[in-house]
Amino acid sequence: MDIRHFIGIDVSKNTLDWAVYANKGIIWQIQSENSPLA
């Protein structure tokens, strides 16, 4: 099995940082608010 992509999530009190990594580095990155939906 050849793994080509990695998904990373960094959880902090106020934000969630999302990223997708490939062999050449970060290919997608976004930050969202860390709050429950009502």
PDB file of all heavy atoms in Angstrom:
ATOM      1  N   MET A   1       0.849  -1.179   0.000  1.00  0.00           N
ATOM      2  CA  MET A   1       0.000   0.000   0.000  1.00  0.00           C
ATOM      3  C   MET A   1       0.892   1.238   0.000  1.00  0.00           C
ATOM      4  O   MET A   1       1.769   1.385   0.829  1.00  0.00           O
ATOM      5  CB  MET A   1      -0.896  -0.012   1.228  1.00  0.00           C
ATOM      6  CG  MET A   1      -1.902   1.101   1.238  1.00  0.00           C
ATOM      7  SD  MET A   1      -3.208   0.815   2.426  1.00  0.00           S
ATOM      8  CE  MET A   1      -2.682   1.899   3.727  1.00  0.00           C
ATOM      9  N   ASP A   2       0.640   2.130  -0.935  1.00  0.00           N
ATOM     10  CA  ASP A   2       1.435   3.348  -1.084  1.00  0.00           C
ATOM     11  C   ASP A   2       0.612   4.542  -0.611  1.00  0.00           C
ATOM     12  O   ASP A   2      -0.353   4.929  -1.259  1.00  0.00           O
ATOM     13  CB  ASP A   2       1.833   3.514  -2.542  1.00  0.00           C
ATOM     14  CG  ASP A   2       2.775   4.666  -2.770  1.00  0.00           C
ATOM     15  OD1 ASP A   2       3.457   5.061  -1.806  1.00  0.00           O
ATOM     16  OD2 ASP A   2       2.822   5.173  -3.892  1.00  0.00           O
ATOM     17  N   ILE A   3       0.979   5.115   0.541  1.00  0.00           N
ATOM     18  CA  ILE A   3       0.256   6.267   1.090  1.00  0.00           C
ATOM     19  C   ILE A   3       0.760   7.526   0.406  1.00  0.00           C
ATOM     20  O   ILE A   3       1.962   7.799   0.395  1.00  0.00           O
ATOM     21  CB  ILE A   3       0.438   6.363   2.612  1.00  0.00           C
ATOM     22  CG1 ILE A   3      -0.123   5.104   3.273  1.00  0.00           C
ATOM     23  CG2 ILE A   3      -0.231   7.618   3.157  1.00  0.00           C
ATOM     24  CD1 ILE A   3       0.139   5.017   4.750  1.00  0.00           C
ATOM     25  N   ARG A   4      -0.161   8.300  -0.145  1.00  0.00           N
ATOM     26  CA  ARG A   4       0.232   9.487  -0.902  1.00  0.00           C
ATOM     27  C   ARG A   4      -0.253  10.793  -0.289  1.00  0.00           C
ATOM     28  O   ARG A   4       0.289  11.834  -0.584  1.00  0.00           O
ATOM     29  CB  ARG A   4      -0.306   9.379  -2.320  1.00  0.00           C
ATOM     30  CG  ARG A   4       0.284   8.203  -3.042  1.00  0.00           C
ATOM     31  CD  ARG A   4      -0.215   8.116  -4.419  1.00  0.00           C
ATOM     32  NE  ARG A   4       0.327   6.908  -5.038  1.00  0.00           N
ATOM     33  CZ  ARG A   4       0.144   6.567  -6.266  1.00  0.00           C
ATOM     34  NH1 ARG A   4      -0.590   7.326  -7.050  1.00  0.00           N
ATOM     35  NH2 ARG A   4       0.651   5.470  -6.745  1.00  0.00           N
ATOM     36  N   HIS A   5      -1.278  10.750   0.549  1.00  0.00           N
ATOM     37  CA  HIS A   5      -1.821  11.961   1.160  1.00  0.00           C
ATOM     38  C   HIS A   5      -1.996  11.740   2.662  1.00  0.00           C
ATOM     39  O   HIS A   5      -2.305  10.644   3.103  1.00  0.00           O
ATOM     40  CB  HIS A   5      -3.185  12.314   0.564  1.00  0.00           C
ATOM     41  CG  HIS A   5      -3.116  12.719  -0.867  1.00  0.00           C
ATOM     42  ND1 HIS A   5      -3.164  11.814  -1.883  1.00  0.00           N
ATOM     43  CD2 HIS A   5      -2.986  13.938  -1.421  1.00  0.00           C
ATOM     44  CE1 HIS A   5      -3.081  12.457  -3.026  1.00  0.00           C
ATOM     45  NE2 HIS A   5      -2.962  13.745  -2.789  1.00  0.00           N
ATOM     46  N   PHE A   6      -1.805  12.819   3.416  1.00  0.00           N
ATOM     47  CA  PHE A   6      -2.006  12.807   4.859  1.00  0.00           C
ATOM     48  C   PHE A   6      -2.933  13.962   5.206  1.00  0.00           C
ATOM     49  O   PHE A   6      -2.807  15.053   4.652  1.00  0.00           O
ATOM     50  CB  PHE A   6      -0.683  13.000   5.610  1.00  0.00           C
ATOM     51  CG  PHE A   6       0.299  11.908   5.381  1.00  0.00           C
ATOM     52  CD1 PHE A   6       1.229  12.011   4.356  1.00  0.00           C
ATOM     53  CD2 PHE A   6       0.301  10.783   6.172  1.00  0.00           C
ATOM     54  CE1 PHE A   6       2.151  11.007   4.130  1.00  0.00           C
ATOM     55  CE2 PHE A   6       1.216   9.767   5.959  1.00  0.00           C
ATOM     56  CZ  PHE A   6       2.141   9.880   4.928  1.00  0.00           C
ATOM     57  N   ILE A   7      -3.859  13.729   6.131  1.00  0.00           N
ATOM     58  CA  ILE A   7      -4.775  14.772   6.604  1.00  0.00           C
ATOM     59  C   ILE A   7      -4.390  15.106   8.036  1.00  0.00           C
ATOM     60  O   ILE A   7      -4.284  14.207   8.874  1.00  0.00           O
ATOM     61  CB  ILE A   7      -6.232  14.303   6.543  1.00  0.00           C
ATOM     62  CG1 ILE A   7      -6.611  13.976   5.104  1.00  0.00           C
ATOM     63  CG2 ILE A   7      -7.160  15.358   7.132  1.00  0.00           C
ATOM     64  CD1 ILE A   7      -7.958  13.315   4.961  1.00  0.00           C
ATOM     65  N   GLY A   8      -4.173  16.386   8.313  1.00  0.00           N
ATOM     66  CA  GLY A   8      -3.808  16.824   9.646  1.00  0.00           C
ATOM     67  C   GLY A   8      -4.813  17.826  10.182  1.00  0.00           C
ATOM     68  O   GLY A   8      -5.280  18.696   9.452  1.00  0.00           O
ATOM     69  N   ILE A   9      -5.162  17.685  11.468  1.00  0.00           N
ATOM     70  CA  ILE A   9      -6.077  18.615  12.129  1.00  0.00           C
ATOM     71  C   ILE A   9      -5.441  19.042  13.446  1.00  0.00           C
ATOM     72  O   ILE A   9      -5.098  18.203  14.272  1.00  0.00           O
ATOM     73  CB  ILE A   9      -7.447  17.969  12.407  1.00  0.00           C
ATOM     74  CG1 ILE A   9      -8.063  17.440  11.119  1.00  0.00           C
ATOM     75  CG2 ILE A   9      -8.382  18.974  13.078  1.00  0.00           C
ATOM     76  CD1 ILE A   9      -9.299  16.590  11.330  1.00  0.00           C
ATOM     77  N   ASP A  10      -5.271  20.336  13.611  1.00  0.00           N
ATOM     78  CA  ASP A  10      -4.729  20.898  14.854  1.00  0.00           C
ATOM     79  C   ASP A  10      -5.883  21.549  15.592  1.00  0.00           C
ATOM     80  O   ASP A  10      -6.521  22.475  15.081  1.00  0.00           O
ATOM     81  CB  ASP A  10      -3.639  21.914  14.541  1.00  0.00           C
ATOM     82  CG  ASP A  10      -3.033  22.510  15.795  1.00  0.00           C
ATOM     83  OD1 ASP A  10      -3.052  21.832  16.843  1.00  0.00           O
ATOM     84  OD2 ASP A  10      -2.536  23.643  15.723  1.00  0.00           O
ATOM     85  N   VAL A  11      -6.169  21.063  16.798  1.00  0.00           N
ATOM     86  CA  VAL A  11      -7.298  21.560  17.580  1.00  0.00           C
ATOM     87  C   VAL A  11      -6.782  22.490  18.672  1.00  0.00           C
ATOM     88  O   VAL A  11      -5.908  22.123  19.457  1.00  0.00           O
ATOM     89  CB  VAL A  11      -8.067  20.387  18.233  1.00  0.00           C
ATOM     90  CG1 VAL A  11      -9.231  20.894  19.057  1.00  0.00           C
ATOM     91  CG2 VAL A  11      -8.536  19.404  17.174  1.00  0.00           C
ATOM     92  N   SER A  12      -7.306  23.708  18.701  1.00  0.00           N
ATOM     93  CA  SER A  12      -7.000  24.638  19.781  1.00  0.00           C
ATOM     94  C   SER A  12      -8.320  25.155  20.358  1.00  0.00           C
ATOM     95  O   SER A  12      -9.402  24.805  19.884  1.00  0.00           O
ATOM     96  CB  SER A  12      -6.131  25.797  19.289  1.00  0.00           C
ATOM     97  OG  SER A  12      -6.860  26.637  18.431  1.00  0.00           O
ATOM     98  N   LYS A  13      -8.245  25.982  21.366  1.00  0.00           N
ATOM     99  CA  LYS A  13      -9.453  26.467  22.039  1.00  0.00           C
ATOM    100  C   LYS A  13     -10.365  27.248  21.096  1.00  0.00           C
ATOM    101  O   LYS A  13     -11.584  27.099  21.149  1.00  0.00           O
ATOM    102  CB  LYS A  13      -9.052  27.345  23.229  1.00  0.00           C
ATOM    103  CG  LYS A  13     -10.228  27.837  24.042  1.00  0.00           C
ATOM    104  CD  LYS A  13      -9.772  28.649  25.236  1.00  0.00           C
ATOM    105  CE  LYS A  13     -10.958  29.132  26.040  1.00  0.00           C
ATOM    106  NZ  LYS A  13     -10.545  29.928  27.191  1.00  0.00           N
ATOM    107  N   ASN A  14      -9.808  28.060  20.221  1.00  0.00           N
ATOM    108  CA  ASN A  14     -10.612  28.938  19.370  1.00  0.00           C
ATOM    109  C   ASN A  14     -10.716  28.503  17.913  1.00  0.00           C
ATOM    110  O   ASN A  14     -11.653  28.892  17.224  1.00  0.00           O
ATOM    111  CB  ASN A  14     -10.055  30.363  19.414  1.00  0.00           C
ATOM    112  CG  ASN A  14     -10.154  30.955  20.806  1.00  0.00           C
ATOM    113  OD1 ASN A  14     -11.156  30.787  21.474  1.00  0.00           O
ATOM    114  ND2 ASN A  14      -9.108  31.621  21.244  1.00  0.00           N
ATOM    115  N   THR A  15      -9.749  27.731  17.426  1.00  0.00           N
ATOM    116  CA  THR A  15      -9.740  27.400  15.994  1.00  0.00           C
ATOM    117  C   THR A  15      -9.394  25.938  15.744  1.00  0.00           C
ATOM    118  O   THR A  15      -8.810  25.266  16.594  1.00  0.00           O
ATOM    119  CB  THR A  15      -8.719  28.261  15.228  1.00  0.00           C
ATOM    120  OG1 THR A  15      -7.422  28.006  15.747  1.00  0.00           O
ATOM    121  CG2 THR A  15      -9.056  29.736  15.295  1.00  0.00           C
ATOM    122  N   LEU A  16      -9.745  25.483  14.551  1.00  0.00           N
ATOM    123  CA  LEU A  16      -9.319  24.193  14.016  1.00  0.00           C
ATOM    124  C   LEU A  16      -8.523  24.485  12.752  1.00  0.00           C
ATOM    125  O   LEU A  16      -8.987  25.207  11.880  1.00  0.00           O
ATOM    126  CB  LEU A  16     -10.525  23.319  13.665  1.00  0.00           C
ATOM    127  CG  LEU A  16     -11.488  22.982  14.794  1.00  0.00           C
ATOM    128  CD1 LEU A  16     -12.722  22.295  14.235  1.00  0.00           C
ATOM    129  CD2 LEU A  16     -10.817  22.099  15.823  1.00  0.00           C
ATOM    130  N   ASP A  17      -7.325  23.963  12.661  1.00  0.00           N
ATOM    131  CA  ASP A  17      -6.492  24.128  11.466  1.00  0.00           C
ATOM    132  C   ASP A  17      -6.479  22.797  10.729  1.00  0.00           C
ATOM    133  O   ASP A  17      -6.096  21.774  11.289  1.00  0.00           O
ATOM    134  CB  ASP A  17      -5.066  24.527  11.845  1.00  0.00           C
ATOM    135  CG  ASP A  17      -5.012  25.886  12.511  1.00  0.00           C
ATOM    136  OD1 ASP A  17      -5.626  26.819  11.984  1.00  0.00           O
ATOM    137  OD2 ASP A  17      -4.360  26.002  13.559  1.00  0.00           O
ATOM    138  N   TRP A  18      -6.908  22.818   9.464  1.00  0.00           N
ATOM    139  CA  TRP A  18      -7.012  21.625   8.633  1.00  0.00           C
ATOM    140  C   TRP A  18      -5.976  21.718   7.510  1.00  0.00           C
ATOM    141  O   TRP A  18      -5.807  22.765   6.914  1.00  0.00           O
ATOM    142  CB  TRP A  18      -8.393  21.547   7.992  1.00  0.00           C
ATOM    143  CG  TRP A  18      -9.545  21.673   8.932  1.00  0.00           C
ATOM    144  CD1 TRP A  18     -10.012  22.835   9.494  1.00  0.00           C
ATOM    145  CD2 TRP A  18     -10.362  20.640   9.433  1.00  0.00           C
ATOM    146  NE1 TRP A  18     -11.091  22.571  10.297  1.00  0.00           N
ATOM    147  CE2 TRP A  18     -11.332  21.219  10.281  1.00  0.00           C
ATOM    148  CE3 TRP A  18     -10.383  19.266   9.234  1.00  0.00           C
ATOM    149  CZ2 TRP A  18     -12.298  20.481  10.924  1.00  0.00           C
ATOM    150  CZ3 TRP A  18     -11.366  18.541   9.888  1.00  0.00           C
ATOM    151  CH2 TRP A  18     -12.301  19.140  10.727  1.00  0.00           C
ATOM    152  N   ALA A  19      -5.326  20.601   7.203  1.00  0.00           N
ATOM    153  CA  ALA A  19      -4.355  20.597   6.105  1.00  0.00           C
ATOM    154  C   ALA A  19      -4.295  19.216   5.469  1.00  0.00           C
ATOM    155  O   ALA A  19      -4.496  18.200   6.129  1.00  0.00           O
ATOM    156  CB  ALA A  19      -2.978  20.990   6.603  1.00  0.00           C
ATOM    157  N   VAL A  20      -4.020  19.205   4.169  1.00  0.00           N
ATOM    158  CA  VAL A  20      -3.770  17.970   3.436  1.00  0.00           C
ATOM    159  C   VAL A  20      -2.357  18.064   2.871  1.00  0.00           C
ATOM    160  O   VAL A  20      -2.003  19.045   2.227  1.00  0.00           O
ATOM    161  CB  VAL A  20      -4.795  17.767   2.291  1.00  0.00           C
ATOM    162  CG1 VAL A  20      -4.462  16.511   1.504  1.00  0.00           C
ATOM    163  CG2 VAL A  20      -6.211  17.702   2.845  1.00  0.00           C
ATOM    164  N   TYR A  21      -1.569  17.052   3.151  1.00  0.00           N
ATOM    165  CA  TYR A  21      -0.175  17.002   2.712  1.00  0.00           C
ATOM    166  C   TYR A  21      -0.007  15.927   1.644  1.00  0.00           C
ATOM    167  O   TYR A  21      -0.617  14.863   1.726  1.00  0.00           O
ATOM    168  CB  TYR A  21       0.751  16.643   3.883  1.00  0.00           C
ATOM    169  CG  TYR A  21       0.728  17.642   5.005  1.00  0.00           C
ATOM    170  CD1 TYR A  21      -0.194  17.543   6.029  1.00  0.00           C
ATOM    171  CD2 TYR A  21       1.649  18.672   5.041  1.00  0.00           C
ATOM    172  CE1 TYR A  21      -0.223  18.459   7.062  1.00  0.00           C
ATOM    173  CE2 TYR A  21       1.637  19.594   6.079  1.00  0.00           C
ATOM    174  CZ  TYR A  21       0.703  19.479   7.088  1.00  0.00           C
ATOM    175  OH  TYR A  21       0.672  20.379   8.105  1.00  0.00           O
ATOM    176  N   ALA A  22       0.808  16.203   0.676  1.00  0.00           N
ATOM    177  CA  ALA A  22       1.197  15.219  -0.337  1.00  0.00           C
ATOM    178  C   ALA A  22       2.714  15.133  -0.332  1.00  0.00           C
ATOM    179  O   ALA A  22       3.376  15.769   0.495  1.00  0.00           O
ATOM    180  CB  ALA A  22       0.670  15.627  -1.703  1.00  0.00           C
ATOM    181  N   ASN A  23       3.268  14.398  -1.234  1.00  0.00           N
ATOM    182  CA  ASN A  23       4.725  14.223  -1.278  1.00  0.00           C
ATOM    183  C   ASN A  23       5.480  15.538  -1.431  1.00  0.00           C
ATOM    184  O   ASN A  23       6.600  15.672  -0.955  1.00  0.00           O
ATOM    185  CB  ASN A  23       5.101  13.295  -2.431  1.00  0.00           C
ATOM    186  CG  ASN A  23       4.606  11.890  -2.200  1.00  0.00           C
ATOM    187  OD1 ASN A  23       4.387  11.473  -1.071  1.00  0.00           O
ATOM    188  ND2 ASN A  23       4.398  11.155  -3.269  1.00  0.00           N
ATOM    189  N   LYS A  24       4.874  16.523  -2.060  1.00  0.00           N
ATOM    190  CA  LYS A  24       5.560  17.791  -2.321  1.00  0.00           C
ATOM    191  C   LYS A  24       5.239  18.866  -1.291  1.00  0.00           C
ATOM    192  O   LYS A  24       5.654  19.999  -1.438  1.00  0.00           O
ATOM    193  CB  LYS A  24       5.205  18.290  -3.716  1.00  0.00           C
ATOM    194  CG  LYS A  24       5.689  17.360  -4.790  1.00  0.00           C
ATOM    195  CD  LYS A  24       5.351  17.870  -6.158  1.00  0.00           C
ATOM    196  CE  LYS A  24       5.848  16.900  -7.219  1.00  0.00           C
ATOM    197  NZ  LYS A  24       5.551  17.365  -8.564  1.00  0.00           N
ATOM    198  N   GLY A  25       4.459  18.563  -0.255  1.00  0.00           N
ATOM    199  CA  GLY A  25       4.138  19.531   0.790  1.00  0.00           C
ATOM    200  C   GLY A  25       2.646  19.736   0.925  1.00  0.00           C
ATOM    201  O   GLY A  25       1.845  18.918   0.490  1.00  0.00           O
ATOM    202  N   ILE A  26       2.261  20.855   1.516  1.00  0.00           N
ATOM    203  CA  ILE A  26       0.855  21.162   1.767  1.00  0.00           C
ATOM    204  C   ILE A  26       0.158  21.459   0.440  1.00  0.00           C
ATOM    205  O   ILE A  26       0.601  22.307  -0.323  1.00  0.00           O
ATOM    206  CB  ILE A  26       0.708  22.367   2.709  1.00  0.00           C
ATOM    207  CG1 ILE A  26       1.311  22.054   4.071  1.00  0.00           C
ATOM    208  CG2 ILE A  26      -0.759  22.754   2.856  1.00  0.00           C
ATOM    209  CD1 ILE A  26       1.349  23.241   5.013  1.00  0.00           C
ATOM    210  N   ILE A  27      -0.969  20.768   0.192  1.00  0.00           N
ATOM    211  CA  ILE A  27      -1.723  21.031  -1.026  1.00  0.00           C
ATOM    212  C   ILE A  27      -3.058  21.707  -0.726  1.00  0.00           C
ATOM    213  O   ILE A  27      -3.700  22.209  -1.635  1.00  0.00           O
ATOM    214  CB  ILE A  27      -1.943  19.744  -1.855  1.00  0.00           C
ATOM    215  CG1 ILE A  27      -2.689  18.697  -1.050  1.00  0.00           C
ATOM    216  CG2 ILE A  27      -0.627  19.219  -2.368  1.00  0.00           C
ATOM    217  CD1 ILE A  27      -3.095  17.482  -1.861  1.00  0.00           C
ATOM    218  N   TRP A  28      -3.481  21.716   0.539  1.00  0.00           N
ATOM    219  CA  TRP A  28      -4.723  22.387   0.918  1.00  0.00           C
ATOM    220  C   TRP A  28      -4.646  22.711   2.399  1.00  0.00           C
ATOM    221  O   TRP A  28      -4.192  21.900   3.199  1.00  0.00           O
ATOM    222  CB  TRP A  28      -5.923  21.472   0.648  1.00  0.00           C
ATOM    223  CG  TRP A  28      -7.244  22.072   0.931  1.00  0.00           C
ATOM    224  CD1 TRP A  28      -7.912  22.977   0.164  1.00  0.00           C
ATOM    225  CD2 TRP A  28      -8.080  21.822   2.061  1.00  0.00           C
ATOM    226  NE1 TRP A  28      -9.109  23.291   0.747  1.00  0.00           N
ATOM    227  CE2 TRP A  28      -9.238  22.588   1.923  1.00  0.00           C
ATOM    228  CE3 TRP A  28      -7.950  21.012   3.187  1.00  0.00           C
ATOM    229  CZ2 TRP A  28     -10.260  22.582   2.846  1.00  0.00           C
ATOM    230  CZ3 TRP A  28      -8.971  21.013   4.110  1.00  0.00           C
ATOM    231  CH2 TRP A  28     -10.102  21.781   3.929  1.00  0.00           C
ATOM    232  N   GLN A  29      -5.077  23.930   2.780  1.00  0.00           N
ATOM    233  CA  GLN A  29      -5.034  24.341   4.176  1.00  0.00           C
ATOM    234  C   GLN A  29      -6.155  25.331   4.438  1.00  0.00           C
ATOM    235  O   GLN A  29      -6.417  26.223   3.619  1.00  0.00           O
ATOM    236  CB  GLN A  29      -3.681  24.984   4.487  1.00  0.00           C
ATOM    237  CG  GLN A  29      -3.509  25.396   5.912  1.00  0.00           C
ATOM    238  CD  GLN A  29      -2.116  25.957   6.176  1.00  0.00           C
ATOM    239  OE1 GLN A  29      -1.271  26.044   5.288  1.00  0.00           O
ATOM    240  NE2 GLN A  29      -1.879  26.353   7.398  1.00  0.00           N
ATOM    241  N   ILE A  30      -6.831  25.184   5.582  1.00  0.00           N
ATOM    242  CA  ILE A  30      -7.916  26.089   5.956  1.00  0.00           C
ATOM    243  C   ILE A  30      -8.011  26.147   7.479  1.00  0.00           C
ATOM    244  O   ILE A  30      -7.582  25.233   8.171  1.00  0.00           O
ATOM    245  CB  ILE A  30      -9.258  25.642   5.322  1.00  0.00           C
ATOM    246  CG1 ILE A  30     -10.306  26.732   5.442  1.00  0.00           C
ATOM    247  CG2 ILE A  30      -9.744  24.349   5.930  1.00  0.00           C
ATOM    248  CD1 ILE A  30     -11.538  26.503   4.595  1.00  0.00           C
ATOM    249  N   GLN A  31      -8.580  27.227   7.979  1.00  0.00           N
ATOM    250  CA  GLN A  31      -8.782  27.399   9.413  1.00  0.00           C
ATOM    251  C   GLN A  31     -10.254  27.693   9.649  1.00  0.00           C
ATOM    252  O   GLN A  31     -10.864  28.464   8.911  1.00  0.00           O
ATOM    253  CB  GLN A  31      -7.928  28.562   9.926  1.00  0.00           C
ATOM    254  CG  GLN A  31      -7.950  28.711  11.434  1.00  0.00           C
ATOM    255  CD  GLN A  31      -7.056  29.843  11.883  1.00  0.00           C
ATOM    256  OE1 GLN A  31      -7.377  30.993  11.670  1.00  0.00           O
ATOM    257  NE2 GLN A  31      -5.934  29.499  12.484  1.00  0.00           N
ATOM    258  N   SER A  32     -10.849  27.050  10.658  1.00  0.00           N
ATOM    259  CA  SER A  32     -12.253  27.285  10.975  1.00  0.00           C
ATOM    260  C   SER A  32     -12.410  27.521  12.471  1.00  0.00           C
ATOM    261  O   SER A  32     -11.527  27.180  13.275  1.00  0.00           O
ATOM    262  CB  SER A  32     -13.119  26.113  10.528  1.00  0.00           C
ATOM    263  OG  SER A  32     -12.737  24.926  11.181  1.00  0.00           O
ATOM    264  N   GLU A  33     -13.525  28.098  12.841  1.00  0.00           N
ATOM    265  CA  GLU A  33     -13.823  28.396  14.245  1.00  0.00           C
ATOM    266  C   GLU A  33     -14.114  27.102  14.993  1.00  0.00           C
ATOM    267  O   GLU A  33     -14.773  26.201  14.463  1.00  0.00           O
ATOM    268  CB  GLU A  33     -15.033  29.322  14.309  1.00  0.00           C
ATOM    269  CG  GLU A  33     -15.374  29.788  15.702  1.00  0.00           C
ATOM    270  CD  GLU A  33     -16.562  30.735  15.697  1.00  0.00           C
ATOM    271  OE1 GLU A  33     -16.928  31.253  14.635  1.00  0.00           O
ATOM    272  OE2 GLU A  33     -17.131  30.935  16.785  1.00  0.00           O
ATOM    273  N   ASN A  34     -13.639  26.997  16.214  1.00  0.00           N
ATOM    274  CA  ASN A  34     -13.888  25.824  17.056  1.00  0.00           C
ATOM    275  C   ASN A  34     -15.033  26.158  18.001  1.00  0.00           C
ATOM    276  O   ASN A  34     -14.831  26.651  19.104  1.00  0.00           O
ATOM    277  CB  ASN A  34     -12.628  25.453  17.832  1.00  0.00           C
ATOM    278  CG  ASN A  34     -12.795  24.175  18.603  1.00  0.00           C
ATOM    279  OD1 ASN A  34     -13.804  23.511  18.510  1.00  0.00           O
ATOM    280  ND2 ASN A  34     -11.784  23.824  19.371  1.00  0.00           N
ATOM    281  N   SER A  35     -16.256  25.894  17.544  1.00  0.00           N
ATOM    282  CA  SER A  35     -17.432  26.144  18.391  1.00  0.00           C
ATOM    283  C   SER A  35     -18.507  25.125  18.047  1.00  0.00           C
ATOM    284  O   SER A  35     -18.623  24.697  16.907  1.00  0.00           O
ATOM    285  CB  SER A  35     -17.953  27.562  18.180  1.00  0.00           C
ATOM    286  OG  SER A  35     -18.448  27.712  16.861  1.00  0.00           O
ATOM    287  N   PRO A  36     -19.305  24.738  19.034  1.00  0.00           N
ATOM    288  CA  PRO A  36     -20.393  23.779  18.751  1.00  0.00           C
ATOM    289  C   PRO A  36     -21.505  24.450  17.953  1.00  0.00           C
ATOM    290  O   PRO A  36     -21.766  25.645  18.090  1.00  0.00           O
ATOM    291  CB  PRO A  36     -20.880  23.376  20.141  1.00  0.00           C
ATOM    292  CG  PRO A  36     -20.505  24.510  21.019  1.00  0.00           C
ATOM    293  CD  PRO A  36     -19.245  25.096  20.437  1.00  0.00           C
ATOM    294  N   LEU A  37     -22.142  23.666  17.115  1.00  0.00           N
ATOM    295  CA  LEU A  37     -23.293  24.176  16.365  1.00  0.00           C
ATOM    296  C   LEU A  37     -24.539  24.071  17.241  1.00  0.00           C
ATOM    297  O   LEU A  37     -24.761  23.061  17.896  1.00  0.00           O
ATOM    298  CB  LEU A  37     -23.499  23.370  15.076  1.00  0.00           C
ATOM    299  CG  LEU A  37     -22.379  23.462  14.061  1.00  0.00           C
ATOM    300  CD1 LEU A  37     -22.664  22.521  12.900  1.00  0.00           C
ATOM    301  CD2 LEU A  37     -22.254  24.877  13.564  1.00  0.00           C
ATOM    302  N   ALA A  38     -25.348  25.102  17.251  1.00  0.00           N
ATOM    303  CA  ALA A  38     -26.552  25.110  18.075  1.00  0.00           C
ATOM    304  C   ALA A  38     -27.745  24.616  17.297  1.00  0.00           C
ATOM    305  O   ALA A  38     -27.834  24.663  16.130  1.00  0.00           O
ATOM    306  CB  ALA A  38     -26.823  26.518  18.584  1.00  0.00           C
TER     307      ALA A  38
END
